[in-house]
Amino acid sequence: MPTIEHNGKSFEVDEDGFLLKGDDFNQEWVDYVKGVEGISEMTDEHVKVIDALQEYYKKNGIAPMVRILSKTTGFPLKRIYELFPSGPGKGACKMAGLPKPTGCV
Amino acid sequence: MGYNPDKPMDGRISDLGPPHYEKFFPPVIKANKGKWLWHEITQPGVLLHKSETGDEVYTVRVGSPRLVSVEYIREVCEIADKHCDGFLRFTTRNNIEFMVDSKEKVQPLLDTLTSYGNKYPVGGTGAGVTNIVHTQGWVHCHTPATDASGVVKAVMDELFDYFTSMTLPAQVRIALACCLNMCGAVHASDIAILGIHRKPPMIDHKRITGVCELPLAIASCPLGAVKPAKAMVDGKEIKTVKVTVERCMFCGNCYTMCPAMPLADPEGDGIAILVGGKVSNRISHPKFSKLVIPFLPNTTPRWPETVAAVKKILEAYAADARKYERLGDWAERIGWEKFFEKCDIPFTEKSIDDYRLAYDTWRTTTQFKFTSHIK
């Protein structure tokens, strides 16, 4: 599996650019994903979504369903797409260091 | 404006939906929409629709392999340009239909199609075997237990005469799915070819932490065979899952959810045959197809066992069923024990339902027929 170097840190990722080890997550990772996902500037709202995802994942072992993410952050799905153009799965979960979404996607 | 990767949202067009289908209507279809009086099949693969305005449309149906190249599509477009003013359509079973507005134009079109040899076989109408609805197989999917395109080609080669004729009691729909996700129509087809596994998943404890959401893998199991567990990896205790092998029926759902639980196996994987499904409401209600052959091996590249099994069932049905009787109607009328006898299929315990609502599928009557094909 490929390794990505960014700002002196290295990350093990899969072919879609998701972290293979959630423990590798750090600010450099956020900064790197920001670039590839077409996010010009990190705002408090971005951070709120990332934090909500990580908190839910730590507690439950799964990524939250979209409706739960909307409810806990207060952002409707439309707003989440404005923040993360690739959407909550490919965009936000990747940035938060969660496993790649599976199933028939 | 070309796509600018630095500003991906600039000039982005979205949520347009598909173009409106009326834009692609041949003129005669557009003029007579909602005014059709009757239709008939003038010969295998050729339909005539008559409108109340007096207009006629002749449709020539042609088989396609579904998985096609751009070159193939361009060639189809050339044929449509030459004969149909550039119009054509695809059916819900991935056949191609060329439409012309007069009888004189039919024969030249058929001649052009014949000039390509068997590349564009005319047929698929009436009481025959039309195209096989199928899936991705080893061409593109990561969960298959068998191939799709290869098996379909092998089966259709053998049944080709049924595609170009209308000699069966009723139409026979054959479908294939390469795993029991059953993408497509196998659960409701006259004859269904289904990829199955016969071995439990192998759990990759080294990867599972990073790539799996464990509760999803556990919840994906229809039999509760996946349980949370701990394992040691490089001297560290990690959360993982274990599979109770005696409870596992190899559906592969956990692999769909969790990439660290692969279960594909060259010897274990193969094909099951189901029969008797239908979706129409004609005479009898729609039916699910039922398992009759639990396992046939994956014998690439021609799957002779599968081809032989499908042909045998089809021929037994063709010889014995009444006019208009679908395969499922026939099996239910003569009784499933007679179906197994007439098709010379050994009945195995695998055909006896044992999943939750199984009781209703057992025989709760003394009405049955003695059969003799199994000694």
Side-chain angles (χ1 to χ4, degrees):
Chain A
M1 283 294 164
T3 308
I4 281 172
E5 303 280 341
H6 187 74
N7 287 354
K9 293 270 166 51
S10 71
F11 304 97
E12 241 188 292
V13 298
D14 66 10
E15 67 277 12
D16 292 315
F18 278 78
L19 274 187
L20 282 173
K21 296 193 183 98
D23 299 344
D24 287 354
F25 175 86
N26 54 35
Q27 273 315 304
E28 273 71 36
W29 175 253
V30 172
D31 190 58
Y32 164 72
V33 177
K34 192 183 114 187
V36 295
E37 289 297 318
I39 297 161
S40 48
E41 207 181 337
M42 287 293 287
T43 63
D44 291 350
E45 290 179 307
H46 287 99
V47 175
K48 195 173 170 188
V49 173
I50 299 297
D51 286 350
L53 285 171
Q54 287 184 333
E55 195 187 318
Y56 193 92
Y57 184 71
K58 212 165 277 174
K59 198 169 147 205
N60 300 295
I62 58 173
M65 275 142 275
V66 168
R67 282 163 176 245
I68 293 176
L69 183 63
S70 288
K71 211 167 180 178
T72 51
T73 57
F75 301 143
L77 189 57
K78 192 165 179 288
R79 184 72 194 132
I80 293 176
Y81 269 94
E82 284 162 13
L83 298 169
F84 299 93
S86 309
K90 234 182 124 265
C93 281
K94 183 195 271 187
M95 191 182 265
L98 268 52
K100 183 162 64 182
T102 54
C104 296
V105 285
Chain B
M1 188 185 83
Y3 172 72
N4 177 4
D6 296 330
K7 290 182 175 167
M9 301 304 277
D10 262 19
R12 178 169 173 269
I13 299 166
S14 76
D15 301 295
L16 301 176
H20 197 279
Y21 53 87
E22 278 197 13
K23 277 168 70 180
F24 308 102
F25 275 166
V28 61
I29 298 287
K30 194 165 205 165
N32 294 287
K33 190 188 170 196
K35 296 176 191 165
W36 302 106
L37 286 179
W38 51 268
H39 73 277
E40 67 177 14
I41 303 171
T42 59
Q43 70 185 75
V46 182
L47 301 143
L48 156 64
H49 284 79
K50 187 84 176 175
S51 162
E52 61 187 35
T53 62
D55 284 351
E56 287 180 343
V57 168
Y58 287 84
T59 306
V60 177
R61 188 175 295 168
V62 168
S64 102
R66 191 182 71 92
L67 202 66
V68 298
S69 65
V70 174
E71 275 172 4
Y72 176 97
I73 294 174
R74 290 206 172 119
E75 202 169 80
V76 170
C77 292
E78 252 172 56
I79 299 170
D81 281 340
K82 195 167 160 195
H83 294 278
C84 318
D85 304 321
F87 294 97
L88 68 98
R89 66 183 290 270
F90 281 77
T91 70
T92 54
R93 296 189 84 85
N94 305 303
N95 290 306
I96 307 170
E97 285 186 350
F98 298 101
M99 281 156 287
V100 291
D101 52 14
S102 79
K103 194 170 178 158
E104 296 75 56
K105 294 179 184 171
V106 176
Q107 198 52 47
L109 172 57
L110 289 176
D111 292 342
T112 301
L113 293 168
T114 321
S115 71
Y116 289 96
N118 268 344
K119 197 169 179 184
Y120 301 102
V122 175
T125 53
V129 174
T130 183
N131 221 350
I132 299 183
V133 167
H134 64 281
T135 55
Q136 311 221 28
W138 297 329
V139 170
H140 198 70
C141 190
H142 68 297
T143 64
T146 186
D147 191 26
S149 300
V151 190
V152 164
K153 166 72 173 152
V155 172
M156 277 318 271
D157 278 350
E158 189 67 27
L159 304 182
F160 187 71
D161 289 344
Y162 291 103
F163 183 83
T164 53
S165 67
M166 306 190 292
T167 53
L168 295 171
Q171 73 266 44
V172 171
R173 300 285 186 242
I174 303 178
L176 177 145
C178 42
C179 79
L180 36 68
N181 247 9
M182 294 195 174
C183 301
V186 286
H187 64 295
S189 290
D190 293 287
I191 301 176
I193 304 163
L194 179 64
I196 52 150
H197 302 284
R198 294 188 301 166
K199 303 217 170 146
M202 301 157 269
I203 302 166
D204 187 348
H205 296 301
K206 279 206 161 116
R207 284 179 69 217
I208 200 162
T209 312
V211 297
C212 278
E213 303 171 40
L214 299 180
L216 293 187
I218 294 160
S220 73
C221 184
L223 294 175
V226 182
K227 292 209 175 75
K230 299 254 201 284
M232 298 298 284
V233 170
D234 303 331
K236 246 172 68 181
E237 195 182 59
I238 55 137
K239 283 186 190 171
T240 180
V241 293
K242 66 171 181 215
V243 174
T244 316
V245 174
E246 306 81 63
R247 288 192 78 91
C248 179
M249 60 174 177
F250 329 120
C251 68
N253 276 352
C254 51
Y255 177 58
T256 303
M257 300 315 294
C258 173
M261 299 178 76
L263 79 164
D265 181 272
E267 276 78 46
D269 295 355
I271 280 171
I273 304 282
L274 294 80
V275 304
K278 71 198 259 296
V279 289
S280 82
N281 284 282
R282 197 199 57 181
I283 306 173
S284 60
H285 51 77
K287 302 180 211 295
F288 284 128
S289 17
K290 295 179 179 3
L291 179 87
V292 293
I293 301 178
F295 181 77
L296 297 165
N298 272 330
T299 319
T300 56
R302 298 296 295 177
W303 281 268
E305 299 88 355
T306 302
V307 171
V310 170
K311 194 170 188 200
K312 205 161 164 188
I313 293 169
L314 185 69
E315 283 176 349
Y317 157 77
D320 198 63
R322 294 174 184 162
K323 196 165 162 61
Y324 302 128
E325 220 168 31
R326 294 288 291 267
L327 205 149
D329 298 330
W330 169 63
E332 284 181 6
R333 174 172 62 79
I334 64 174
W336 283 95
E337 65 269 36
K338 280 284 173 192
F339 169 87
F340 279 90
E341 188 182 48
K342 282 184 196 286
C343 296
D344 195 26
I345 298 170
F347 184 84
T348 67
E349 79 279 5
K350 306 279 189 228
S351 283
I352 303 171
D353 197 350
D354 57 0
Y355 185 71
R356 291 189 185 185
L357 305 174
Y359 183 85
D360 287 349
T361 66
W362 302 338
R363 195 190 300 273
T364 50
T365 167
T366 54
Q367 296 188 359
F368 72 99
K369 297 181 190 86
F370 286 99
T371 57
S372 59
H373 73 300
I374 301 166
K375 298 289 180 283

